[in-house]
Amino acid sequence: QQQVKQSPQSLIVQKGGISIINCAYENTAFDYFPWYQQFPGKGPALLIAIRPDVSEKKEGRFTISFNKSAKQFSLHIMDSQPGDSATYFCAASHTGKSTFGDGTTLTVKP
Amino acid sequence: GAVVSQHPSWVICKSGTSVKIECRSLDFQATTMFWYRQFPKKSLMLMATSNEGSKATYEQGVEKDKFLINHASLTLSTLTVTSAHPEDSSFYICSVRTGSYEQYFGPGTRLTVT
């Protein structure tokens, strides 16, 4: 049973466009929802995270939207740049232990 | 956040030998670290939770006798892959938990077993 479902698997966006990646979870005990960015051959880097008591969090060009009732959350990357090309993972955590989505490979075309 | 290092960054070993991977928390006293495994173009799979001064907690399906974890200090956890086989070839990543929620990852170790 996959606890965190992520879509799309891959995404191609033009430079300056908006990249949107979606995740859905099943376990209502999850209480922390981070997004990670991973470049090839590197470890994941924490990008932005949200707790379920807020519906949106914005940090620079990155925004998380969170819908508790639907058990869904999404990452929006505004003004996408070629340097944003990477794999993005959503995760859901409970007691500090994370379950990851399958990842989205983002390609931003110049 | 926490700065996490791993050593080595890549290692090649022969089938049947053991290999040790170190995970260091450089600027944070970590009571809890995690070890993950990642196959190419796949997600991270949690292998075990490493607790300082006590035994690691392994996820279902992970052989604790094959993947030995030692968290002897607040800054160092080690993962030893014993009697490695080609199917153990993977990208191994550790992370440090800095509070109730946040995790910071190391750069990963690429293991190739020939």
Side-chain angles (χ1 to χ4, degrees), chain B residues 9-70:
Chain B
S9 56
W10 61 270
V11 58
I12 301 172
C13 70
K14 291 186 182 296
S15 186
T17 63
S18 296
V19 61
K20 180 184 287 187
I21 302 169
E22 294 184 347
C23 176
R24 292 184 183 275
S25 176
L26 301 182
D27 59 353
F28 185 83
Q29 307 258 308
T31 55
T32 302
M33 295 184 180
F34 299 100
W35 284 96
Y36 293 85
R37 185 173 181 178
Q38 187 178 35
F39 290 104
K41 299 191 183 302
K42 296 293 184 183
S43 189
L44 286 81
M45 183 191 80
L46 179 65
M47 299 175 66
T49 302
S50 172
N51 303 296
E52 187 268 335
S54 63
K55 290 183 178 180
T57 305
Y58 290 81
E59 294 300 302
Q60 192 172 11
V62 178
E63 299 175 61
K64 62 181 181 180
D65 294 330
K66 181 166 186 63
F67 298 99
L68 300 178
I69 292 172
N70 184 8

Side-chain angles (χ1 to χ4, degrees), chain A residues 31-32 36 38 41-44 46 51 89 93 95-98 100-103, chain B residues 34 36 38 42-44 46 49 59 91 93 97 100-107:
Chain A
D31 56 5
Y32 176 69
Y36 295 91
Q38 186 179 29
K42 305 293 184 184
L46 178 63
R51 296 284 314 281
F89 292 97
S93 295
T95 61
K97 206 162 76 168
S98 292
F100 286 80
D102 285 342
Chain B
F34 299 100
Y36 293 85
Q38 187 178 35
K42 296 293 184 183
S43 189
L44 286 81
L46 179 65
T49 302
E59 294 300 302
F91 193 51
I93 313 172
R97 192 174 80 187
S100 298
Y101 304 101
E102 293 184 344
Q103 285 186 55
Y104 292 90
F105 287 84

